[in-house]
């Protein structure tokens, strides 16, 4: 492909004119100014400089980008018929049925997405298939769900509506709870002692472990946290038990590694990682300062920043750890916060380094109970989220080998090695604690606390003649698009409005039938593992009209009612993997044959 390129030459000459050409690659048009100076002594040593500008049209060859080797047609997912979908994997994975039930693999309504593009998830436009429909979404205000009367188990759903507020401040939500305006909510950290001592509130209080980990990530490529000694110092200066005893007070478990108890391959708490050790922390930081010829005042001039999403609880934890770093290391750390949706954008690993904080807060909760979902999918720089921005080939190879090993004991050993390398050698982050749910629930609501997956409102029961659940989403969901959801708020809404192939039993956490009634493992002709799912035929695609308040089944051009098919599953999976969708969670599906190169555009 040829393009016309304009090149400008500026030439300084003495008694003669000199021309030169130089071109540097730039899209569309190249404009380059080249200055050449040549001086020559003439009579009476007078120098004359003449400046000329000449425009020259030249032709330059611009190579077109190479065609990708793989297309979506090469993705390892196919509808064998209307009610059977088959996946082909990159390697064996006994945990794949759990991945297949994740929201990013949900069946999705192609016709609606094609018609409305990014607006397709708005109230009145969205088409869903789950126990609830989206009744209304007032951005920044409220998001309400209404029971789907066409749901296959509608008679078993007792909550008719979910009236969802978006209250960020835990103290405000708790005040509403005490006034009877919320049916269930978390307990603010400053209220913990009072709730435990109060005869009524203590009866309504539930504290139970959940498979989540609270951690501070380091931006490993941003000085001074590009040095492992600095990261080590900051990790070992955190007294986790003191934080739990004096701030969170919810019986959390101090975390020195990533995956919590109950996850296959997770090390026992405290056996891997760097414990609190103030003396070791000081020595590590001093080693860095000595090598750099810096004082602690010089270090503090670097303006180290810790960022968290806006939350009273996160602010209290940040203030406590900020003080630990000041007391134990003598360092000053500035704390900032951002609204949740903005915060998630800031933490993308594509954000310019100068816009990234040095340290940032996140939590990770299990999508399925295997270390692959933790140390690999969150931190592997080739196939994971990698917000910490590491690039360690040995670590990457270790998490891949752990996933591919057939022997469970070997997998566990490899995952322990990976956890140890990440926490003790690379010291890429600071695990803080493994979560507990700390919640109060009104006497008229019977609810569960699922160990995995979204809150399942369709399994909850309201008493005393109540039909509407008063709920706090905690923040505005960044999206209701299953391909784009990455946070618990979005997943809670999606999990109640869409069905997945499988789901987790709310009591045991075992993978259970949902859209799929059965599934089985096999091999293709090349020896690759396959998973084949047989689908039920009675899950309707529905739309809700906010004006009339009616829920109706979607029909095709000929007036035939539409039910979820294997083709909808294939479309949903391909849409998540498609690089044009820009799904931040697409890496979860890299276990599917060719998903990684397709998503990378290779």
């Amino acid at each position: 492909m040829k393009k016309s390129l304009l090149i400008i030459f500026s030439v300084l000459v003495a008694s003669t004119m000199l021309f030169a050409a130089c071109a540097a690659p730039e899209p569309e048009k190249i404009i380059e100014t080249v200055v050449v100076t040549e001086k020559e002594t003439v009579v009476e040593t007078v120098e004359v400089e003449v400046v000329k500008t000449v425009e020259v049209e030249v032709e330059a060859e611009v190579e077109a980008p190479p065609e990708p080797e793989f297309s979506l047609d090469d993705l390892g997912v196919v509808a064998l018929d209307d009610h059977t979908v088959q996946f082909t994997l990159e390697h064996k994975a006994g945990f794949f049925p759990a991945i297949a039930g994740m929201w990013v693999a949900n069946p999705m309504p192609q016709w609606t997405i094609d018609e409305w593009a990014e607006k397709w998830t708005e109230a009145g436009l969205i088409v869903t298939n789950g126990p609830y429909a989206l009744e209304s979404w007032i951005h920044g205000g409220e998001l309400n769900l209404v029971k789907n009367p066409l749901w296959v188990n509608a008679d078993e759903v007792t909550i008719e509506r979910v009236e969802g507020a978006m209250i960020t401040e835990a103290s405000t939500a708790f005040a509403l709870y005490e006034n009877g305006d919320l049916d269930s909510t978390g307990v603010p950290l400053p209220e913990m002692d009072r709730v435990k001592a109060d005869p009524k509130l203590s009866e309504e209080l539930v504290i139970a472990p959940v498979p989540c980990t609270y951690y501070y990530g380091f931006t490993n490529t941003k000085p001074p946290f590009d040095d492992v000694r600095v990261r080590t110092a900051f990790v070992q200066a955190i007294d986790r038990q003191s934080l739990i005893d004096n701030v969170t007070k919810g019986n959390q478990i101090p975390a020195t590694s990533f995956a919590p108890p109950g996850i296959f391959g997770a090390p026992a708490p405290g056996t891997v990682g760097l414990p609190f050790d103030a003396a070791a922390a000081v020595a590590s930081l001093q080693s860095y300062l000595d090598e750099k010829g810096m004082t602690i005042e010089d270090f503090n001039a670097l303006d180290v920043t810790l960022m968290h999403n806006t939350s009273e609880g996160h602010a209290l934890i940040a203030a406590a750890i900020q003080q630990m770093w000041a007391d134990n290391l003598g360092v000053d750390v500035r704390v900032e916060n951002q609204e949740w949706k903005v915060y998630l954008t800031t933490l993308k690993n594509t954000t310019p380094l100068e816009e990234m904080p040095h340290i940032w807060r996140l939590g990770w909760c299990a999508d399925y109970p295997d270390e692959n979902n933790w140390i690999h999918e969150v931190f592997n720089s080739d196939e994971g989220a990698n917000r910490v921005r590491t690039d360690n080939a040995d670590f990457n190879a270790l998490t891949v080998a752990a996933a591919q090993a057939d022997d469970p004991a070997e997998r566990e050993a490899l995952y322990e090695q990976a956890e140890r390398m990440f926490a003790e050698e690379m010291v890429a982050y600071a695990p803080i604690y493994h979560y507990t749910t700390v919640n109060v629930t009104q006497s008229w609501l019977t609810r569960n606390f699922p160990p995995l997956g979204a809150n399942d409102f369709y399994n909850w029961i309201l008493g005393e003649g109540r039909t509407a659940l008063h709920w706090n989403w905690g923040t505005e969901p960044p999206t209701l698009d299953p391909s784009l959801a990455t946070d618990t708020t979005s997943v809670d809404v999606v999990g109640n409005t869409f069905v997945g192939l499988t789901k987790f039993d709310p009591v045991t956490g075992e993978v259970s039938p949902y859209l799929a009634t059965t599934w089985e493992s096999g091999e293709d002709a090349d020896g690759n593992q396959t998973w084949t799912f047989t689908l039920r035929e009675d899950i309707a695609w529905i739309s809700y009209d906010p004006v009339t308040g009616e829920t109706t089944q979607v029909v095709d051009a000929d007036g035939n009612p539409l039910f979820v098919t294997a083709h909808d599953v294939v479309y949903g999976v391909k849409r998540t993997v498609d690089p044009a969708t820009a799904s931040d969670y697409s890496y979860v599906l890299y276990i599917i044959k060719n998903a990684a190169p397709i998503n990378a555009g290779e």
Side-chain angles (χ1 to χ4, degrees):
M1 179 173 61
K2 293 186 176 181
K3 293 189 178 181
S4 180
L5 307 175
L6 178 63
I7 299 181
I8 299 178
F9 299 86
S10 294
V11 184
L12 280 83
V13 301
S15 63
T16 60
M17 186 174 293
L18 203 65
F19 293 93
C22 177
E26 179 181 328
E28 300 301 330
K29 184 167 67 175
I30 302 173
I31 301 178
E32 180 85 9
T33 300
V34 179
V35 178
V36 179
T37 303
E38 183 176 293
K39 295 186 178 183
E40 181 177 306
T41 304
V42 296
V43 179
E44 298 179 345
T45 65
V46 176
E47 295 183 346
V48 180
E49 293 189 348
V50 181
V51 178
K52 296 288 186 180
T53 300
V54 180
E55 294 186 1
V56 182
E57 292 287 337
V58 299
E59 297 291 326
E61 293 288 339
V62 181
E63 291 187 5
E67 289 294 325
E69 181 180 352
F70 298 98
S71 72
L72 286 171
D73 292 336
D74 299 309
L75 186 64
V77 60
V78 62
L80 300 181
D81 56 43
D82 284 351
H83 303 107
T84 311
V85 62
Q86 185 176 83
F87 296 85
T88 303
L89 306 189
E90 289 284 353
H91 57 80
K92 290 183 179 180
F95 51 80
F96 183 74
I99 293 180
M102 290 179 61
W103 56 96
V104 287
N106 278 358
M108 300 182 205
Q110 181 175 0
W111 64 94
T112 298
I113 296 170
D114 288 345
E115 180 178 3
W116 296 107
E118 70 277 0
K119 295 181 181 179
W120 81 274
T121 56
E122 294 296 327
L125 303 180
I126 191 170
V127 171
T128 57
N129 53 35
Y132 288 92
L134 178 64
E135 181 184 63
S136 62
W137 185 4
I138 301 173
H139 293 279
E142 62 183 36
L143 187 152
N144 301 323
L145 305 180
V146 61
K147 176 181 171 178
N148 170 15
L150 302 178
W151 176 241
V152 288
N153 296 319
D155 292 344
E156 299 175 10
V157 178
T158 64
I159 295 177
E160 298 286 337
R161 298 181 68 247
V162 178
E163 298 178 0
M166 301 175 187
I167 303 167
T168 303
E169 298 81 11
S171 58
T172 302
F174 190 71
L176 289 171
Y177 174 85
E178 289 199 278
N179 198 44
D181 295 324
L182 285 178
D183 296 326
S184 187
T185 194
V187 179
L189 300 185
E191 298 284 0
M192 284 297 299
D193 291 336
R194 179 171 73 87
V195 169
K196 289 178 179 179
D198 185 278
K200 178 176 180 293
L201 291 173
S202 62
E203 286 294 315
E204 298 167 351
L205 175 66
V206 171
I207 297 178
V210 291
C212 303
T213 298
Y214 195 104
Y215 72 98
Y216 279 175
F218 299 129
T219 304
N220 280 241
T221 54
K222 183 164 186 168
F225 287 86
D226 56 346
D227 192 294
V228 69
R229 292 168 295 183
V230 174
R231 302 194 298 270
T232 299
F234 273 67
V235 170
Q236 294 205 276
I238 299 172
D239 187 342
R240 300 168 179 84
Q241 192 60 58
S242 174
L243 179 75
I244 293 166
D245 293 341
N246 300 300
V247 181
T248 63
K249 302 180 181 180
N251 299 345
Q252 293 85 0
I253 302 172
T256 55
S257 54
F258 196 41
I263 300 300
F264 175 85
T271 62
V272 168
L274 301 177
F276 170 59
D277 187 333
V282 170
S284 187
L285 181 61
Q286 192 61 51
S287 173
Y288 171 82
L289 296 176
D290 291 344
E291 181 182 297
K292 300 295 183 181
M294 298 172 64
T295 64
I296 194 64
E297 289 75 22
D298 297 329
F299 186 89
N300 287 333
L302 298 176
D303 192 28
V304 171
T305 303
L306 163 65
M307 185 178 287
H308 62 82
N309 55 299
T310 303
S311 156
E312 294 168 332
H314 298 329
L316 288 172
I317 292 170
I321 294 178
Q322 177 191 42
Q323 190 60 52
M324 292 177 189
W325 286 331
D327 293 343
N328 296 324
L329 295 175
V331 299
D332 298 331
V333 175
R334 180 163 53 91
V335 178
E336 295 182 349
N337 72 89
Q338 290 182 338
E339 181 272 327
W340 181 234
K341 188 173 183 178
V342 176
Y343 186 66
L344 289 179
T345 300
T346 296
L347 296 192
K348 289 178 180 288
N349 62 16
T350 55
T351 297
L353 196 61
E354 61 273 13
E355 298 176 18
M356 281 291 294
H358 299 87
I359 314 165
W360 36 269
R361 171 266 158 198
L362 268 184
W364 184 259
C365 294
D367 298 317
Y368 55 94
D370 193 280
E371 262 277 26
N372 188 73
N373 182 229
W374 290 77
I375 199 72
H376 177 76
E377 290 182 353
V378 179
F379 294 133
N380 184 293
S381 62
D382 292 331
E383 299 182 1
N386 192 32
R387 291 183 177 91
V388 293
R389 306 193 186 199
T390 62
D391 186 15
N392 187 308
D394 292 338
F395 171 78
N396 290 346
L398 195 55
T399 68
V400 170
Q404 295 181 359
D406 290 330
D407 179 38
E410 181 184 1
R411 293 190 70 224
E412 287 183 319
L414 290 171
Y415 279 130
E416 180 173 330
Q417 289 180 45
E419 287 264 18
R420 190 176 302 280
M421 178 182 292
F422 205 73
E424 297 180 9
E425 298 176 27
M426 297 167 64
V427 199
Y429 74 132
I432 309 296
Y433 61 76
H434 301 307
Y435 279 65
T436 54
T437 183
V438 182
N439 183 279
V440 283
T441 299
Q442 304 284 8
S443 59
W444 54 76
L445 174 64
T446 301
R447 61 160 297 182
N448 58 33
F449 294 90
L452 296 162
N455 281 307
D456 50 351
F457 303 136
Y458 51 91
N459 283 326
W460 299 5
I461 299 173
L462 280 169
E464 301 181 11
R466 300 169 186 265
T467 59
L469 174 70
H470 297 93
W471 184 251
N472 177 31
W473 299 113
T475 185
E476 171 139 22
T479 182
L480 301 188
D481 187 329
S483 286
L484 301 180
T486 63
D487 64 293
T488 54
T489 304
S490 300
V491 171
D492 267 355
V493 181
V494 170
N496 283 278
T497 52
F498 288 89
V499 297
L501 285 171
T502 61
K503 64 179 180 179
F504 294 106
D505 183 281
V507 177
T508 67
E510 296 293 322
V511 178
S512 304
Y514 204 15
L515 175 60
T517 56
T518 61
W519 50 89
E520 61 181 2
S521 174
E523 284 189 359
D524 67 7
D526 297 322
N528 299 304
Q529 185 179 36
T530 61
W531 282 94
T532 305
F533 295 79
T534 302
L535 314 186
R536 59 190 303 161
E537 303 176 18
D538 54 357
I539 303 295
W541 285 110
I542 59 104
S543 64
Y544 177 83
D545 188 331
V547 177
T548 65
E550 294 183 354
T551 301
T552 57
Q553 186 167 0
V554 179
V555 298
D556 64 17
D558 297 323
N560 300 310
L562 291 180
F563 294 91
V564 176
T565 70
H567 306 286
D568 300 322
V569 176
V570 171
Y571 170 73
V573 172
K574 287 186 174 181
R575 181 170 178 268
T576 297
V577 173
D578 187 347
T581 304
S583 168
D584 287 334
Y585 232 52
S586 56
Y587 59 82
V588 174
L589 301 180
Y590 282 6
I591 196 169
I592 300 173
K593 191 71 175 177
N594 298 327
I598 292 170
N599 187 245
E602 297 175 354

